Amino acid sequence: MAEAETSRDGAVLTITLNRPEVLNAFNAAMHEALAAALKEAGDPSVRAVVLTGAGRGFCVGQDLTEFRDSPGDIGRRLRKNYHPNVLAIRRLEKPVIAAVNGAAAGAGLSIACACDIRLAADSASFVPAFINIGLIPDSGGSYFVTRLLGYARAFEWMTSGRKLSAAEAQAWGLVSEVVEGETLVERSAEVAGQLAAMPTREGVAAFLEKREPRFTGS
Ligand code: T3D
């Protein structure tokens, strides 16, 4: 099994981070597998992407065992491993939905926040874990969280390291919708399917030709 699996349903590609025994913490293999999955997402026939995690976690950021075993230059590792995938998400010309099924911590939180919207299971949690281990919110965390929450709330949260429940995250506007855990897959597929079927050019053509639009999702 790859560390990030893909599955296709029509125009929707689902990417599942797949190291459930460590709540989908990033190691080198998972960075590579996610890069490959995001490349697949670039295919023009994919019109919406769902990013989720296997098991009870979404993604808890850097695998701290790997971090301990090879400390070295953190900045270099971020630029090599994390930044390309964060940028790849942002460069996709299609919506990316984070289906947050469990804990999103550290760089896992940053990556959830790099997505266009977040749907969460009621059991999900959001943990700005960086401060607890002496790091700044990397992998785009300081950029995306600030834009989602505003500077003051983002600063207070990131410096507190406080775990936020799904309900709190929704109240703050970090999450669009919270659903019962077992319905997250279904609801994410539904939202992704709706987004995938939305118009690109046909709306203008229909207006100019004074007829009803026939949206086909292409
Ligand atoms: O150089 C660089 O690469 C720098 C890059 C940094 C980017 C970052 O992401 S830094 C932030 C790294 N992440 C963390 O600090 C989060 C650490 N995890 C936690 O705080 C907790 O696991 C959670 C609050 C997220 C969830 O808690 P809980 O109680 O639901 O689960 P748990 O029991 O702590 O974890 C379950 C298992 O996953 C456990 O293993 P075990 O005991 O069953 O064998 C735990 O050790 C493992 N695990 C959780 N997080 C990580 C991890 N293993 C490795 N790395 C982790 N980040």
Side-chain angles (χ1 to χ4, degrees):
M1 294 284 276
E3 285 77 4
E5 297 274 326
T6 58
S7 63
R8 193 62 193 267
D9 182 7
V12 177
L13 182 81
T14 297
I15 302 173
T16 306
L17 302 173
N18 191 29
R19 299 189 70 219
E21 67 284 1
V22 285
L23 309 182
N24 307 311
F26 272 107
N27 64 358
M30 200 168 93
H31 285 298
E32 275 180 33
L34 178 58
L38 289 169
K39 195 168 174 197
E40 191 179 336
D43 187 290
S45 66
V46 174
R47 292 186 42 89
V49 178
V50 175
L51 178 64
T52 193
R56 74 174 181 88
F58 173 73
C59 173
V60 292
Q62 175 60 35
D63 185 315
L64 295 176
T65 308
E66 189 186 69
F67 184 88
R68 180 199 58 200
D69 294 344
S70 51
D73 184 340
I74 293 175
R76 191 189 65 78
R77 274 207 306 273
L78 287 167
R79 284 187 286 276
K80 176 171 179 280
N81 296 326
Y82 285 94
H83 295 188
N85 282 335
V86 171
L87 291 171
I89 290 172
R90 291 311 317 160
R91 285 187 181 131
L92 282 174
E93 293 177 341
K94 52 202 80 180
V96 183
I97 300 161
V100 185
N101 53 304
L109 172 65
S110 302
I111 282 175
C113 291
C115 296
D116 294 297
I117 55 169
R118 283 145 295 285
L119 308 180
D122 49 8
S123 57
S125 58
F126 299 81
V127 191
F130 306 98
I131 191 87
N132 301 329
I133 54 170
L135 297 179
I136 58 156
D138 58 43
S139 311
S142 52
Y143 180 89
F144 295 114
V145 176
T146 302
R147 274 152 188 81
L148 288 166
L149 298 181
Y151 179 81
R153 179 164 266 175
F155 182 88
E156 184 280 327
W157 186 36
M158 288 284 150
T159 52
S160 75
R162 184 165 78 83
K163 183 196 280 194
L164 219 61
S165 68
E168 288 173 306
Q170 187 182 24
W172 280 14
L174 195 70
V175 158
S176 310
E177 197 175 325
V178 178
V179 299
E180 285 179 18
E182 57 274 21
T183 66
L184 181 64
V185 171
E186 188 188 340
R187 180 61 187 144
S188 305
E190 189 179 22
V191 172
Q194 284 165 357
L195 290 170
M198 286 180 83
T200 43
R201 284 180 292 274
E202 161 65 5
V204 175
F207 177 82
L208 294 176
E209 293 164 22
K210 300 187 188 309
R211 59 173 173 77
E212 287 298 312
R214 294 183 294 271
F215 298 130
T216 62
S218 61

